[in-house]
Amino acid sequence: MQAMPAPVLSTATGRRGATTTFTVSVPAAGSRNVTLKYGNANGGARTVSIYVNGAKIRQTTLANLPNWDTWGTQTEALNLNAGSNTIAYKYDAGDSANVNLDQIAVDAGTSPTSTPTATPTATPTATPTATPTATPTATPTATPTATPPPGGNIAIGKPIVASSNTQAFVATNANDNNTATYWEGGGNPSTLTLDFGANQNITSIVLKLNPATEWATRTQTIQVLGHNQSTTTFTNLVSSQTYTFNPASGNAVTIPVTATVKRLQLNITANTGAPAGQVAEFQVFGTPAANPDLTISGMSWSPASPIETDALTLNATVKNIGTAASAATTVNFYLNGDAAGTAQVGALAAGATANVSVNAGAKTAASYALSAKVDENNAVIEQNEANNGYTNASPLTVAPVSSSDLVAATSWSPVTPTVGSAVSFTVNLKNQGTIASAAGAHAISVAIKNGAGTTVQTLNGSYSGSLAAGASANVAIPGTWTAGSGSYTVTTTVAADGNEVPTKQANNASTANLTVYAARGASMPYFRYDTEDATRGGGATLQAAPNFDQALIASEASGQKYVALPSNGSYAQWTVRQGQGGRGRHDAVHDARLRRRDGLERLA
């Protein structure tokens, strides 16, 4: 169907904001090709903005024509509502305009309910159809014909790489939807490659540079290549041609391309304005080709209210929302981000669904975030690879089982034994379950194992009585172990309680590491002079270390006693006995092991 012709109008007579509006009516909502008949002999392409029902859709480019007596057409795929619609062409900021508009035609896929009437909302000054006195300058070396761009710009934000770049003018500048940023290659030839991830049916490419007037007019020689998802080899789509970029006409070039591609590449071999290719926006117009699109539409679990002893089954519903059948693939399930299992999902026709499940086993009482991802390894090429994941809105909560739960923690004395020490053990017995333990005796064993794993001694004890949920008790284990030098493992085992279910008995045994150090002292015949044998003066005092700790100087004292020298002039001295080193003499602290910390001298 075709809208009623309008008078020959100019969308811009030097007045930004001028608008020509057409009213059309269609019987059903959907995308329709709308063809504008226009005149443009300005010497270069011109741009105007398209509005549908008051909303801006995009900027369109109207190619240059030989003269003002020649009419051209530009087709756009526009989404229209059922019934009456307004389609407006407006001179917006960023547009170059100054073109003549004649009429629009809407495709006749369905018959209109009435003949649309072109209704200009603003009446710009009419422009005569006669050829202007001044003949426009020559057109670009290659002038691409305007091509209908079904769909929107599908290149924004897609993965993009370049063969090289200069300074910070990187490839991602070329599809960030901002003409103020741009890519520039490091030298000729230079390539710019877009990856859509899956096949796209493309109809045109629009290449833009910054439209600011400081960008001088330039030409670039460009070849377009591409390949579909069944190969990785690029083939020629549009042979190398020279295109003119002129700020006066928007600094943009439209290249018609009809192809199905997964990746699209520009090969730029010359640029009169720079040492290598330059692109501010690499726009691609088209629609997704037929491909599957796998999603997860919902998740559940059974039993619905699990406890710790229940084996969990996790379920997911997989749907192919794409336009082609998908091959078989997998679904990965996660609990709190940890893998919980993998299920196979068979081939799915477009629009089909399948339910899959995994047995995740019993889980400890807790709240778990439940999620899943279909085709996580990207075995299936899809229209959208970003929608494969799903996180359930509510967490999976596992309730604790009704049971006692006995655990043991063991300590020993002395804390740091030396060879020959008599080591005793104490066990802290705790019930971390939800109910009290059974009454009666609860046997406890403490096994000391050497570095080879051989048990060198076992001590046995018990706790008698019931432990309430959350309660604990210290149990002194009868007997001692005579320490030998080396590293040991202390394994403590508590007998299963009568109220303890099997799943809670796995932690009834615990281990701890124990190290025994060699005893201190000389390894050859010697005469011993203890701290108590010293004569003290100047405020020196005899002190006793409360307990042994090899990290403390006081613990190095003979017999656990030492002399404190609190100030200058404090001293301790020993008189060598007759026959133990010659004649009797006095040895002062200077010949002994003397330490100072924080201004306090201590004799060890």
Side-chain angles (χ1 to χ4, degrees), residues 24 82 105 115 158 243 265 276 346 410 440 469 483 524 533 544 586:
V24 298
T115 302
K158 289 293 190 294
Y243 299 92
Q265 184 178 89
T410 303
M524 57 183 291
D533 299 329
H586 296 290

Side-chain angles (χ1 to χ4, degrees), residues 4-5 18 35 46 161 165 183 278 281 324 348 361 437-438 453 506 534 577 591:
M4 184 177 290
T35 301
R46 293 287 171 154
V161 295
N165 66 276
W183 161 78
Q278 293 173 307
E281 279 304 302
L348 286 176
S437 69
R577 305 182 188 99
D591 298 318

